[in-house]
Amino acid sequence: MALITPPNIDPATFAKALSQLIDIVGPDWVFTDPQAELSPYLDRMSPTPAELRIPSAAVAPANVEQTQQIVRLANRLKIPIWYYGTGKNYGYGGPAPRLNGFLVVDMKRMNKVLEVNEKMAYAVVEPGVSYIQLYQHLQEIGSDLWIDCAAPAWGGVIGNAMEHGAGYTPYGDHFVFQCGMEVLLADGSLVRTGMGALPGSQASSLFKYGYGPHIDGMFTQGNFGIVTKMGIWLMPKPPAHKPFMISFDKEADLHTIIERIRPLKVSMVYQNAVILEHLSYSVGVQRPRSDYWNEKSPMPNEVWEQARSDLDLGWWNMWGGLYGLPKNIDMQWDIIRNSFADIPGVQFFEEGDRGTDDVGWNYRTKLMRGEPNMTEFNIVNWRGGGHINFTPIAPLYGDICVKATDMMREIMNRHGFDYITEYVAAFRGVIKLLMIMFDPRDEEERRRAYQCSEEIILAAASIGFGELKAHVEFMDLVAGTYSGQDGGLGKTLQKVKDAIDPNGILAPGKSGIWPSSWQSEKPQINADRSADIAPNS
Amino acid sequence: MALITPPNIDPATFAKALSQLIDIVGPDWVFTDPQAELSPYLDRMSPTPAELRIPSAAVAPANVEQTQQIVRLANRLKIPIWYYGTGKNYGYGGPAPRLNGFLVVDMKRMNKVLEVNEKMAYAVVEPGVSYIQLYQHLQEIGSDLWIDCAAPAWGGVIGNAMEHGAGYTPYGDHFVFQCGMEVLLADGSLVRTGMGALPGSQASSLFKYGYGPHIDGMFTQGNFGIVTKMGIWLMPKPPAHKPFMISFDKEADLHTIIERIRPLKVSMVYQNAVILEHLSYSVGVQRPRSDYWNEKSPMPNEVWEQARSDLDLGWWNMWGGLYGLPKNIDMQWDIIRNSFADIPGVQFFEEGDRGTDDVGWNYRTKLMRGEPNMTEFNIVNWRGGGHINFTPIAPLYGDICVKATDMMREIMNRHGFDYITEYVAAFRGVIKLLMIMFDPRDEEERRRAYQCSEEIILAAASIGFGELKAHVEFMDLVAGTYSGQDGGLGKTLQKVKDAIDPNGILAPGKSGIWPSSWQSEKPQINADRSADIAPNS
């Protein structure tokens, strides 16, 4: 029996709902015991206590039909649901719902690779399909297609694309390479987008547009519908591929590096997203903090310098890959080398130039050829497992990146955290990934992490950097920074939400979008939470 | 004084509205006289008489503020408006509105290039900016950036991207290379999408996503809002560029050609959209039909053969371009030549291989380096100026393309029209462009064109080909073919429409999306029209 009920649902109604859920999916796939069964649905890596976001229950449907029945039931009873496929969402709030009592719909069992088309180079997957699963499936069937994966192998192919996630091959903008979706709406009906809405079309995973508004994007990173199928374009294995790393000696090289990256990126000499790791990030993946520093205060530069020397790293370490014909790659590599060769202390690393046990080289090069692995996730062990990620977006200009680096370091150090960052240069913008690392068992540290998070988000917005994604606890705060045109974007999203989910059952509060029916409760939600979370200042 | 009033608006109310429009934009920019002033807003190239779609008036605002005031007025009085920037929309219904009496909002005066960023390779434009204007602007400021244009130089940069249009360089998918929009909603408020919603962001034209649902696509090809500003990525002039043409001797080569294109396209050896012109299309651009054939019946093969010989063309003529470093281009050209070399009768044409006055070579190569021109538009002179375009989407498979070719030729010939077509191979799909050419002054021919259009759309849908775009007269028919999941897509669009345009004033019926308030009138609209258009059978 569940101890927590969904908001505004009385225990008797919820008990009846649980029995109906059992009718739908069978008794093995409805989870209600907070200790034994719901533990995997709690978030223990966040700056807020796990007790603030406990689901009332979780249910794991086997297929689309069962998911439709669950959604219809929730819609009838006005039970808010929190849904996802696979992946962990660590750093952004984990598996736990937005608020206590939401019913989690866990689509992990819907993990079929529905189609692989070798000639046309695409796959169609269900929400429970992870990168590693798709990769292994392609290996098993002897496919010559590469996937583009996120850093952790357990990430979901659909979930990541829906969150505007990025990978490491030329197919790295996952939403751009998505093609065609099936979406389950709050009333239990299905919509297929693009060509998929035309009965008998063979082009639903081949051509991004259908007729009329192109609505795939509407279903990303929000709560307008549950994506139950998606096409994803795959990259034919190129005839040749060359990964490389370029290290830079001085932290002050940042301005020059960014200015040199830009023309290479805009002209597509760089075909994939260029990763520019700060030393902190490169070290964090390979070593726990305790190897170097056990103080509460941020690790000082001379200690970072020691780690840098131990691991043969630069203060900035740039990773990229070239893809195409062998000679073509040689020409591009010449251009790239020449672009950076005059920077004092620069070092170029090609295959074989670093030891066979070089952790960074080994996992980065795997990612750049679409081989999922879990190495990068080691970075969460830096300081006790707790971490909060930020992904503010900046223009690819040296002076702005330097300003942001200085500003964010000051904020993070002032709150007692190490400054851990990397830049991911996408087509014309750059994602400045930041990570607060902390020990979630230390309440004081947790509270500081919370305060520091708020300050990072607001400081980034003050210099025009919008977050690409937000931790569940900071969704309202981030959505609030997109406040231009008298809040025009938020008002529009609100209208669409109310129109296609009038009872507001699909992930209320996701990305700061609350159904109208929840508006009166929203201030109270926030008040309650600040009482719980309130910094001890 | 206008002779036609908007649907459900009495003459006195409309007279008052006109006087308010004059207050907003000044007397020079409100057009009401059907003969003298509204003539440019009529459609004389369609299968239906121009009298079926006459605006009540047209108004040309100078800026966003005036457009907001016009929309607020229309919203208050429930006057339906039909809006666009620049371009002609010939072949799809021209400038005339969906129904008699709509108020046309013509944004031709809003034609500022608001920004060109040379370092980041993008421009921000208003709706009235045409391809030729943007091109000339870049020339004037000495920019090294290329645009990607549609075939007619007068096309609108925003309008084409919003209709999911395509061009001829590697930046040919115009919606993919769009980045950031400002949209005017039915209530007169503005929304900026993506990073543009964050005050002070410098990334609104650099990064496609903001926070929350990615709603740019929602405002394409529909009637949810008026796009008033848009960022578009431009291509840095490549170090080298090589256009080419490959001609094929036999119509029956189609299967082989398509099968050979696919791997080149999927692996991106072909960087731009490959155009495969049927002889009919190649000839039509260069000669009027009367040079060869004056019968009503379709031009027979032996006459096409004569034209082919005159103009040194193949039955299929393939156009492509390579972009990059000189050596890189040489390698790619080798691959392409080798892919087709064994097809008997194949001919390869490079720069200098065709005469300096070769019409096809000259305009196709301009398009592939982003130089807008009007040559291709000559094709509408084939048979009297009337034409209707179709763009069904097919998978890039030889057998399916052959089937479609045979089916469409049979339909068009049976209705007495020449079979005029080309294939445009996009990333993994192919657009099968079809054109019905007819004399719009010949009523019988017009009626046949109408009947033939309906048959083409339904026949294409019957083999799973969805139309990418539709002539204004066939919007409901095309939207109706996307009927899967119990009409799920249409129902969803309807809900969004009603939510963000509750009075249904923005382009009612565009793309088959009618506001709920119009539903009761819709059957009557269609009944009225079929009485007017009714085939004489």
Side-chain angles (χ1 to χ4, degrees), chain B residues 61-355:
Chain B
N63 52 43
V64 174
E65 293 68 29
Q66 289 185 3
T67 316
Q68 286 181 282
Q69 290 179 53
I70 294 166
V71 167
R72 285 197 192 105
L73 174 67
N75 196 34
R76 203 161 53 237
L77 300 176
K78 301 190 182 174
I79 297 174
I81 65 176
W82 194 253
Y83 51 89
Y84 39 76
T86 188
K88 301 293 184 187
N89 203 34
Y90 290 143
Y92 292 102
R98 184 75 175 81
L99 293 178
N100 261 349
F102 285 13
L103 171 68
V104 166
V105 178
D106 178 355
M107 294 180 285
K108 63 186 170 189
R109 297 168 69 202
M110 293 166 62
N111 64 351
K112 282 194 284 296
V113 177
L114 298 166
E115 184 185 358
V116 174
N117 187 317
E118 191 77 18
K119 280 186 181 171
M120 287 292 194
Y122 70 83
V124 180
V125 298
E126 289 191 321
V129 173
S130 67
Y131 288 116
I132 187 70
Q133 186 195 345
L134 180 58
Y135 174 79
Q136 287 170 346
H137 180 84
L138 293 172
Q139 296 290 304
E140 279 161 23
I141 64 174
S143 171
D144 272 329
L145 300 172
W146 280 12
I147 70 166
D148 186 286
C149 58
W154 58 37
V157 178
I158 290 184
N160 190 280
M162 291 304 101
E163 290 293 328
H164 308 149
Y168 305 90
T169 78
Y171 280 40
D173 186 332
H174 294 161
F175 181 65
V176 163
F177 287 90
Q178 163 274 349
C179 189
M181 318 195 303
E182 179 184 84
V183 186
L184 171 55
L185 301 182
D187 64 1
S189 67
L190 294 173
V191 172
R192 289 194 186 158
T193 63
M195 287 293 153
L198 190 136
S201 174
Q202 293 181 51
S204 59
S205 304
L206 299 179
F207 195 80
K208 291 179 77 77
Y209 315 116
Y211 180 61
H214 176 53
I215 60 171
D216 294 52
M218 212 175 90
F219 295 107
T220 63
Q221 208 178 61
N223 50 17
F224 296 164
I226 303 175
V227 178
T228 49
K229 289 183 183 70
M230 189 187 81
I232 184 93
W233 288 344
L234 304 173
M235 180 170 149
K237 183 183 169 180
H241 165 53
K242 178 191 185 73
F244 60 85
M245 173 195 167
I246 307 177
S247 70
F248 301 92
D249 236 18
K250 287 188 293 297
E251 205 173 5
D253 289 334
L254 179 63
H255 186 280
T256 310
I257 301 166
I258 294 285
E259 289 292 309
R260 304 279 172 93
I261 287 175
R262 188 181 53 247
L264 297 173
K265 194 66 208 152
V266 170
S267 64
M268 294 199 262
V269 172
Y270 275 138
Q271 296 154 289
N272 63 347
V274 180
I275 312 292
L276 184 65
E277 289 177 344
H278 185 258
L279 173 62
S280 60
Y281 202 94
S282 317
V283 171
V285 171
Q286 302 195 40
R287 296 284 175 90
R289 189 175 193 257
S290 54
D291 278 11
Y292 288 101
W293 189 248
N294 277 303
E295 307 299 315
K296 278 246 172 191
S297 58
M299 189 159 120
N301 266 14
E302 56 274 20
V303 182
W304 283 115
E305 191 63 58
Q306 179 59 48
R308 172 171 117 80
S309 152
D310 290 352
L311 298 169
D312 187 19
L313 292 164
W315 268 96
W316 296 102
N317 302 290
M318 185 165 70
W319 300 91
L322 298 169
Y323 305 80
L325 302 167
K327 283 185 193 164
N328 163 313
I329 283 175
D330 292 344
M331 286 188 286
Q332 282 173 283
W333 179 233
D334 278 349
I335 294 175
I336 290 168
R337 278 188 72 107
N338 290 338
S339 295
F340 297 100
D342 67 330
I343 300 178
V346 66
Q347 288 188 71
F348 299 92
F349 299 93
E350 304 173 48
E351 190 71 55
D353 287 348
R354 297 186 70 89

Side-chain angles (χ1 to χ4, degrees), chain A residues 177-209:
Chain A
F177 287 90
Q178 162 272 349
C179 189
M181 314 195 304
E182 179 184 83
V183 186
L184 170 56
L185 301 181
D187 64 2
S189 67
L190 294 173
V191 173
R192 289 194 187 161
T193 64
M195 288 293 153
L198 191 135
S201 174
Q202 292 181 51
S204 59
S205 303
L206 298 179
F207 194 80
K208 289 178 78 77
Y209 315 117

Side-chain angles (χ1 to χ4, degrees), chain A residues 117 119-122 164 171 173 175-177 185 187 190-203 205-215 217-222 224 233-236 259 262 266-268 325 327-328 331-332 335 393-397 400 426-429 431 461 463-470 475 478-479 481-485 488-489 492-493 495-496 499-500 511-513, chain B residues 117 119-122 164 171 173 175-177 185 187 190-203 205-215 217-222 224 233-236 259 262 266-268 325 327-328 331-332 335 393-397 400 426-429 431 461 463-470 475 478-479 481-485 488-489 492-493 495-496 499-500 511-513:
Chain A
N117 187 317
K119 280 186 180 173
M120 288 293 193
Y122 70 82
H164 307 149
Y171 280 39
D173 187 332
F175 181 65
V176 164
F177 287 90
L185 301 181
D187 64 2
L190 294 173
V191 173
R192 289 194 187 161
T193 64
M195 288 293 153
L198 191 135
S201 174
Q202 292 181 51
S205 303
L206 298 179
F207 194 80
K208 289 178 78 77
Y209 315 117
Y211 180 62
H214 175 54
I215 58 169
M218 212 174 90
F219 295 107
T220 62
Q221 209 178 60
F224 295 165
W233 288 343
L234 303 174
M235 180 170 149
E259 289 292 309
R262 189 181 52 247
V266 170
S267 65
M268 293 200 263
L325 301 166
K327 283 184 191 163
N328 165 312
M331 287 187 285
Q332 284 173 282
I335 296 174
I393 301 299
L396 202 46
Y397 289 124
I400 295 178
F427 211 177
R428 277 163 173 77
I431 305 168
I463 56 169
F465 288 22
E467 301 288 336
L468 169 65
K469 203 177 162 186
M475 287 179 167
V478 168
T481 63
Y482 289 78
S483 61
Q485 297 74 53
L489 178 61
T492 303
L493 296 174
K495 284 178 189 166
V496 175
I500 63 174
S511 297
I513 308 166
Chain B
N117 187 317
K119 280 186 181 171
M120 287 292 194
Y122 70 83
H164 308 149
Y171 280 40
D173 186 332
F175 181 65
V176 163
F177 287 90
L185 301 182
D187 64 1
L190 294 173
V191 172
R192 289 194 186 158
T193 63
M195 287 293 153
L198 190 136
S201 174
Q202 293 181 51
S205 304
L206 299 179
F207 195 80
K208 291 179 77 77
Y209 315 116
Y211 180 61
H214 176 53
I215 60 171
M218 212 175 90
F219 295 107
T220 63
Q221 208 178 61
F224 296 164
W233 288 344
L234 304 173
M235 180 170 149
E259 289 292 309
R262 188 181 53 247
V266 170
S267 64
M268 294 199 262
L325 302 167
K327 283 185 193 164
N328 163 313
M331 286 188 286
Q332 282 173 283
I335 294 175
I393 301 299
L396 201 47
Y397 289 124
I400 295 179
F427 210 177
R428 278 163 173 75
I431 305 168
I463 56 168
F465 288 23
E467 301 288 336
L468 170 64
K469 205 178 159 184
M475 286 178 167
V478 168
T481 63
Y482 288 79
S483 61
Q485 298 72 53
L489 178 62
T492 303
L493 296 174
K495 284 179 189 168
V496 175
I500 64 174
S511 297
I513 307 166

Side-chain angles (χ1 to χ4, degrees), chain A residues 131-199:
Chain A
Y131 288 115
I132 187 70
Q133 185 195 345
L134 179 57
Y135 174 79
Q136 286 170 346
H137 180 82
L138 293 172
Q139 297 290 306
E140 278 162 22
I141 64 174
S143 171
D144 271 328
L145 301 171
W146 280 11
I147 69 166
D148 187 286
C149 58
W154 60 36
V157 177
I158 290 184
N160 190 281
M162 292 304 102
E163 289 292 328
H164 307 149
Y168 305 89
T169 78
Y171 280 39
D173 187 332
H174 294 162
F175 181 65
V176 164
F177 287 90
Q178 162 272 349
C179 189
M181 314 195 304
E182 179 184 83
V183 186
L184 170 56
L185 301 181
D187 64 2
S189 67
L190 294 173
V191 173
R192 289 194 187 161
T193 64
M195 288 293 153
L198 191 135

Side-chain angles (χ1 to χ4, degrees), chain A residues 227-245:
Chain A
V227 178
T228 48
K229 288 183 184 68
M230 188 187 83
I232 184 89
W233 288 343
L234 303 174
M235 180 170 149
K237 183 184 171 180
H241 164 53
K242 179 191 184 73
F244 60 86
M245 172 195 168

Side-chain angles (χ1 to χ4, degrees), chain A residues 160-400:
Chain A
N160 190 281
M162 292 304 102
E163 289 292 328
H164 307 149
Y168 305 89
T169 78
Y171 280 39
D173 187 332
H174 294 162
F175 181 65
V176 164
F177 287 90
Q178 162 272 349
C179 189
M181 314 195 304
E182 179 184 83
V183 186
L184 170 56
L185 301 181
D187 64 2
S189 67
L190 294 173
V191 173
R192 289 194 187 161
T193 64
M195 288 293 153
L198 191 135
S201 174
Q202 292 181 51
S204 59
S205 303
L206 298 179
F207 194 80
K208 289 178 78 77
Y209 315 117
Y211 180 62
H214 175 54
I215 58 169
D216 294 51
M218 212 174 90
F219 295 107
T220 62
Q221 209 178 60
N223 49 18
F224 295 165
I226 303 175
V227 178
T228 48
K229 288 183 184 68
M230 188 187 83
I232 184 89
W233 288 343
L234 303 174
M235 180 170 149
K237 183 184 171 180
H241 164 53
K242 179 191 184 73
F244 60 86
M245 172 195 168
I246 308 178
S247 70
F248 302 92
D249 235 18
K250 288 188 293 296
E251 204 172 6
D253 290 333
L254 179 63
H255 186 279
T256 309
I257 301 166
I258 293 285
E259 289 292 309
R260 304 279 172 91
I261 288 176
R262 189 181 52 247
L264 297 173
K265 194 66 209 152
V266 170
S267 65
M268 293 200 263
V269 172
Y270 275 139
Q271 296 154 288
N272 62 346
V274 180
I275 311 293
L276 185 64
E277 289 176 344
H278 185 259
L279 173 62
S280 60
Y281 202 94
S282 316
V283 171
V285 171
Q286 301 195 39
R287 296 285 174 91
R289 189 175 193 257
S290 55
D291 278 11
Y292 288 101
W293 189 248
N294 278 303
E295 306 298 313
K296 277 244 171 193
S297 59
M299 189 157 119
N301 266 14
E302 56 273 22
V303 181
W304 283 114
E305 190 63 59
Q306 179 60 48
R308 173 171 116 78
S309 153
D310 289 352
L311 297 169
D312 188 20
L313 293 163
W315 268 95
W316 296 103
N317 301 291
M318 185 165 70
W319 300 92
L322 298 169
Y323 305 81
L325 301 166
K327 283 184 191 163
N328 165 312
I329 283 175
D330 292 345
M331 287 187 285
Q332 284 173 282
W333 179 233
D334 277 351
I335 296 174
I336 291 168
R337 279 188 71 108
N338 291 337
S339 295
F340 296 100
D342 67 330
I343 300 177
V346 66
Q347 289 188 71
F348 299 92
F349 298 93
E350 304 173 47
E351 189 71 54
D353 287 348
R354 297 186 70 90
T356 50
D357 59 349
D358 189 280
V359 173
W361 179 269
N362 291 341
Y363 94 87
R364 282 282 180 198
T365 54
K366 278 184 186 167
L367 290 180
M368 287 192 282
R369 55 179 187 259
E371 291 178 26
N373 61 79
M374 286 302 300
T375 305
E376 191 170 284
F377 194 71
N378 287 333
I379 199 170
V380 310
N381 296 321
W382 182 248
R383 195 173 178 171
H387 62 290
I388 312 165
N389 289 10
F390 305 88
T391 45
I393 301 299
L396 202 46
Y397 289 124
D399 53 354
I400 295 178

